[in-house]
Structures are given as structure tokens and as C-alpha cells.
Amino acid sequence: MSVRNLSVRSVKGTVGLVLLALGGCVRMGPDYQVPKEADQPASWQKAADAREKRNRGFTSPATVDVSWWQQWHDPVLNRLVDRLSRENLDIRQAATRVLQARGQLKVVAAEGVPSLNWAGSYTWTQQSRKGFLTLAEPAPGSNLQYEQYANIGSASWDMDVFGRIRRLVEAGKARVDEQQAYARGIALARLADFVEAYLRLRAVQAQISLTERHQALVRHDLALVLARQKEGAANDLEVAQARGQVEQTDSALPPLRDMQAALINTMGVMLDLPPRALEEELLPVKPQLDVPVSVGVDVPSSLAQRRPDIMVADARLHAATAEVGAAKAAFYPDINLAGNLGTQSLSAGDFFMPAAKYFTLGPTVNVPIFEGGRLRGTLALKKAEQKEAALAYRQTVLNAWRDVDDAITRLAQLQLRYQHVSELVQQNRKAYKAARLQYADGAVPFLEVDRAESMLLSSQVTLADLRMETTLAAVSLYRALGGGWQPVLAATEQRMVADAQHKNGESTTQ
């Protein structure tokens, strides 16, 4: 039989083995299915009393507004949130982790793709006269030097007959999904944190304005008491009480201004700015924001499509399930098809001659026979990790339902309290006006004015705090519902694409 016929038969045999292997390709392990969310709450509306819902409509079954901060119609807030989407370092870092996960996925996926390589070499060799290649004494004048030229193209392919690589690629894709969900969670958290800081700032500024108005009022009262003292209509006790009111009001301003500066700096850091960079934009006092009239909460089954922590738990469970399949596939043989084609010659003149050509082609089968328990240990580890991920997924879903339910209840109760305190402020304002008129007429001592004024100031501060708490509760509800990361992350991705294009342009110019 000729060498040519033998080569042809070998190639045919190898091709036949490849086709047989491809026909029997399987994927070990279970295919992933999203867990069913058992014990799902029938409706979020059970979180609040039915009468309160019917009369006031704090929440509604409408679709969640993913641009909810725009409901306040505050151009400053809208402008700052737009900057947050592009400038916040935490959001940008989370987006780069997605790129890292995609890069890792390419590394894993490359194992299942045929690889091609080329290598060219030249060697000059001087043989030893006493070496093992010259067991007999070479004849005098023998040439023990030679040159070798080689030109080799090689190819290899792991056929992944039992799906180990495909399961690892599936797990890698799930890790990419996990990092994307993590980035969404960071975007939502930073958005909610920023809006909360803005709401707190406007509430503090409202308290500063309120305190400054009372400051002017108590100084006017002090002047009134001093004037009555000169007339003999007021005593030293009333003067001391009036001066005490002035000092108490003055002492309330420094901590409020300190809090104002701290909140401005907090927001500046979130926008990648140095301290006090936002003072020019935020120091002008704006009206304190009210809570939206109604918050759309959708239905419980839609929460998994919006809430990032559920997406993260789902992706982790998917990756763990795929890794179980990869661990099972490691028990089975691994077939690698490899081949080389090139030329070899001891002379540069013969390097491209047909006789200098050579090739090799054939499969390599690796069969795990004894691994010291490594494969079984790995499989047991991956199964335990999958079970843990399944339990973590269920816990995450339950916590998400609880967060939404608690947030709806808190918002409803705060709004009810806000209505009662609003009425209390109105009554205290009437009482204070009546006390001042009676004191001016000499009907009551200044102590009555002092008491009425203290009650009015206390209720007004409480009302400002409650207004802030209700708006913060609305933000917490949107955070629990998973709404808001969509436009924020879209802006971040646009920023990263623009930065990449800019860097590519600079590289081309250079």
C-alpha cells in the first residue's frame, strides 16, 4: 500500500470519527428554568387600608414610572439627575465591570472555537563529537554542522462532545447578565440617594427660611415688649422671655446651615465634583417639593423584570446551574482534533520544494481515569452552590415583596399624618395671631404669646419634616419597585461609547 493511500485512508478515518462525535454531541446537566415565584401577593393595594385608598388614592395599579423624579417638574433636579447619569463614578465603575465580564466570556468561549497558528523557524546546529548522536567516533573532517528551516501552520479544535465548554459559556453569559443587573442596581441606588439628598436639602432650606422668618418675628416681639416696659406695661420676666425666644431662634440656624453645606457637598461628590462646587446652583432657595399625587405600582409579577437585585439573584442561579453541567461533563472523555501543515528542509533552496512539505492530522482523546476525587468534589461543590443560589433567589424575591409592601404602607400613613399636621399648623397660626392681638390690648401676659409662638414654630417645623418624609417615602417606594435605573444607565452607556470613540479618534490622530 502506498503512503499516499495510507494518508488518504487516515484522513477519511479521522473525518469519520469527527462526524460520529458531532452526531453524538450532548450537553450534560440540567437546563436552566426561572424559578416560579410561589406565594405571590395578590395585590400591593392590600398594604393600605381600603378606605384610605378609596378616598385618597395614594397608589394605583398603573405602570411604574421609570422617570419618576420628573413628576416634581423641578428643572434643577432634572438637570442634576442628567449629570448624575453621565458623571457618577460608582455608576461608571459598575458599567466597566460589565465590559470585564464580557471580556471574560470571550476568553471562555474561545476554548470552543478552532485555533489557527503559524510559526516559522531557522536553526543552526553544531553536533558534539562525543554526544549520543555520534556514538562512533566521527571520521576526521566530518561536518557536524547543519541548518534547518521550518514553516508550520497548526490548527486545533476541542470538539466539546459532552458540552463542558458550552456550559461554561452559558455560565459566562449569565455572569454578564449578573454584572448588568448589578450595574442597574448601582444606578438605581445612586439615583435614589441623590434625589433623597436633594429633597433633604430643599427641606433644610425650607426650615432655614422658616427660622429666619421667625427670627424677624421674635425680634419684633422683643422690641414690642421693651416698648411696653418703658411704658410700665411689661415686667422683667416678659423681657427675659422675649430675649430667650430670640436666642433660641438664633441658635437653631447654625446646625441647619451646617446640614445644608454637608448635603451640597454630598451631592457634589456624587457628581464627581470637589466640595462647594454646587453652591452657586443649589444655594438659591427653591420651594420644598411635594410628594406625587399617585404612585403607579403595577402588579407583583412585574417586579422581577424591574428590580435589579432579583435579576442578580436570577443570573447567579443560572450561572450556578450551568456550572453543574460543566462539572458533570468533566467526567467524560475530551476529544481534541489537531493538525499541522508546513515545510521542513535542511537547505534554504529546498524549502519550497514539494518534497519538503509535511502534514499531520488526528484526534487526541483524553479520558479521566483517576483524579483523586477532584471531579466528584467539584461536582458536589457546584451542586451545593446551585442550591445556595436557589435559596438566595427565593429570599431576594420575598424581601422585594416585603420592601414594596412596607413602602406603600409607610407612604400612606405619612400622607395621612401630613394632612393632620397641616390642619394643626392652621389652628396654631390662628391661636398665635389671637394671642398677639390680646397681648397688644393688654388682655394676656407675654407668656401666652410665647407659648402660642412656640407651638406654631414647632408645628411648622414638624410639617416641613413630614413633607420631607413623605417625599422620601415616595423615593423609597420607587426604589423598592425597581424604577429609575433604565434612563440613568442608558445615559451612562452613551457616555462610555462617546468616550471610547473620542479615545479612538485621538489614537488615530496620533
Side-chain angles (χ1 to χ4, degrees):
M1 182 181 296
S2 66
V3 176
R4 176 180 177 82
N5 290 336
L6 180 62
S7 301
V8 171
R9 292 183 61 183
S10 299
V11 171
K12 289 182 178 179
T14 301
V15 172
L17 180 61
V18 171
L19 293 177
L20 179 63
L22 289 175
C25 278
V26 295
R27 184 177 295 188
M28 305 301 296
D31 291 328
Y32 179 69
Q33 295 181 350
V34 179
K36 294 182 179 180
E37 298 174 0
D39 305 326
Q40 197 174 103
S43 173
W44 300 126
Q45 299 303 320
K46 291 182 179 180
D49 179 77
R51 180 182 59 81
E52 295 170 1
K53 292 182 301 173
R54 184 170 58 253
N55 294 342
R56 297 173 179 84
F58 298 141
T59 58
S60 69
T63 303
V64 176
D65 184 3
V66 297
S67 299
W68 45 266
W69 62 92
Q70 297 181 0
Q71 296 183 23
W72 281 295
H73 305 290
D74 187 324
V76 176
L77 176 60
N78 294 340
R79 184 168 59 250
L80 291 175
V81 169
D82 183 62
R83 292 173 61 181
L84 178 80
S85 305
R86 293 178 283 108
E87 305 297 340
N88 183 261
L89 296 180
D90 289 335
I91 298 176
R92 292 168 64 184
Q93 288 178 35
T96 60
R97 293 192 189 100
V98 177
L99 299 180
Q100 295 174 24
R102 288 173 179 168
Q104 183 63 35
L105 174 60
K106 290 182 179 180
V107 173
V108 175
E111 293 187 40
V113 178
S115 63
L116 300 174
N117 297 281
W118 174 86
S121 66
Y122 163 78
T123 57
W124 180 83
T125 305
Q126 167 70 57
Q127 292 291 343
S128 170
R129 289 182 177 273
K130 301 298 183 180
F132 71 94
L133 293 179
T134 55
L135 297 178
E137 183 69 23
S142 298
N143 185 13
L144 298 180
Q145 299 178 354
Y146 66 90
E147 298 174 310
Q148 184 176 20
Y149 300 85
N151 171 47
I152 303 172
S154 62
S156 64
W157 176 35
D158 190 327
M159 298 171 63
D160 194 28
V161 177
F162 295 97
R164 181 185 67 85
I165 297 176
R166 280 171 288 159
R167 286 301 190 190
L168 291 177
V169 171
E170 181 183 354
K173 291 180 179 178
R175 297 300 181 192
V176 173
D177 293 340
E178 177 186 347
Q179 290 302 322
Q180 288 178 328
Y182 177 78
R184 293 166 183 170
I186 291 294
L188 176 60
R190 295 301 167 267
L191 168 65
D193 291 343
F194 188 85
V195 176
E196 286 178 353
Y198 185 85
L199 294 172
R200 291 182 186 277
L201 174 66
R202 293 310 185 198
V204 168
Q205 290 179 336
Q207 291 189 16
I208 291 175
S209 298
L210 181 64
T211 304
E212 288 175 342
R213 289 199 300 270
H214 275 278
Q215 190 178 48
L217 189 60
V218 295
R219 286 177 178 172
H220 175 74
D221 289 342
L222 175 60
L224 177 62
V225 173
L226 290 174
R228 289 175 59 85
Q229 185 185 37
K230 290 180 179 180
E231 298 173 356
N235 55 37
D236 292 340
L237 174 60
E238 293 176 332
V239 172
Q241 290 172 343
R243 291 188 186 278
Q245 279 287 347
V246 172
E247 296 299 330
Q248 182 179 2
T249 306
D250 290 346
S251 67
L253 285 173
L256 291 174
R257 287 175 177 147
D258 176 62
M259 191 180 302
Q260 175 183 249
L263 288 168
I264 292 176
N265 284 341
T266 297
M267 298 171 68
V269 170
M270 296 177 71
L271 294 178
D272 190 21
L273 295 173
R276 300 184 180 274
L278 289 176
E279 281 191 345
E280 183 177 353
E281 192 168 3
L282 293 178
L283 278 182
V285 177
K286 299 290 184 180
Q288 190 176 0
L289 304 184
D290 288 322
V291 71
V293 176
S294 179
V295 177
V297 297
D298 214 328
V299 294
S301 60
S302 67
L303 196 62
Q305 283 75 47
R306 289 189 315 273
R307 185 148 162 151
D309 58 344
I310 297 180
M311 298 178 192
V312 170
D314 175 65
R316 287 177 178 170
L317 179 56
H318 189 172
T321 303
E323 288 173 353
V324 169
K328 287 185 176 181
F331 284 85
Y332 295 86
D334 186 38
I335 301 177
N336 193 290
L337 182 63
N340 296 290
L341 176 64
T343 57
Q344 287 181 338
S345 175
L346 297 176
S347 171
D350 299 334
F351 189 57
F352 294 103
M353 298 296 291
K357 295 180 180 179
Y358 81 99
F359 75 90
T360 61
L361 178 65
T364 300
V365 181
N366 295 315
V367 181
I369 297 177
F370 178 72
E371 294 285 343
R374 180 182 63 86
L375 298 181
R376 293 185 181 278
T378 301
L379 180 58
L381 171 64
K382 296 304 178 182
K383 285 184 175 180
E385 290 177 347
Q386 181 195 31
K387 185 176 181 179
E388 180 187 9
L391 295 173
Y393 177 85
R394 177 166 177 78
Q395 185 178 32
T396 301
V397 172
L398 290 174
N399 286 335
W401 289 339
R402 182 201 62 189
D403 289 346
V404 176
D405 195 83
D406 290 348
I408 292 175
T409 302
R410 176 171 173 76
L411 177 60
Q413 299 307 318
L414 282 173
Q415 286 182 315
L416 285 174
R417 188 183 176 204
Y418 181 81
Q419 294 171 1
H420 293 308
V421 175
S422 296
E423 180 62 27
L424 175 62
V425 170
Q426 296 298 325
Q427 298 303 321
N428 285 342
R429 183 175 289 112
K430 292 178 180 179
Y432 173 67
K433 290 180 179 179
R436 289 192 69 189
L437 291 175
Q438 291 178 8
Y439 177 74
D441 294 337
V444 295
F446 185 78
L447 181 61
E448 295 298 326
V449 179
D450 180 60
R451 183 182 295 111
E453 187 175 28
S454 297
M455 294 178 62
L456 175 60
L457 177 60
S458 176
S459 61
Q460 287 177 325
V461 170
T462 301
L463 183 64
D465 285 339
L466 274 175
R467 180 176 295 178
M468 179 187 69
E469 290 297 328
T470 52
T471 54
L472 293 179
V475 174
S476 297
L477 177 55
Y478 280 116
R479 188 200 292 256
L481 292 169
W485 58 262
Q486 297 87 342
V488 171
L489 207 56
T492 301
E493 292 173 349
Q494 292 175 1
R495 162 69 184 269
M496 295 185 66
V497 171
D499 289 346
Q501 292 175 347
H502 180 68
K503 290 181 179 178
N504 292 336
E506 288 184 348
S507 301
T508 304
T509 304
Q510 294 173 356

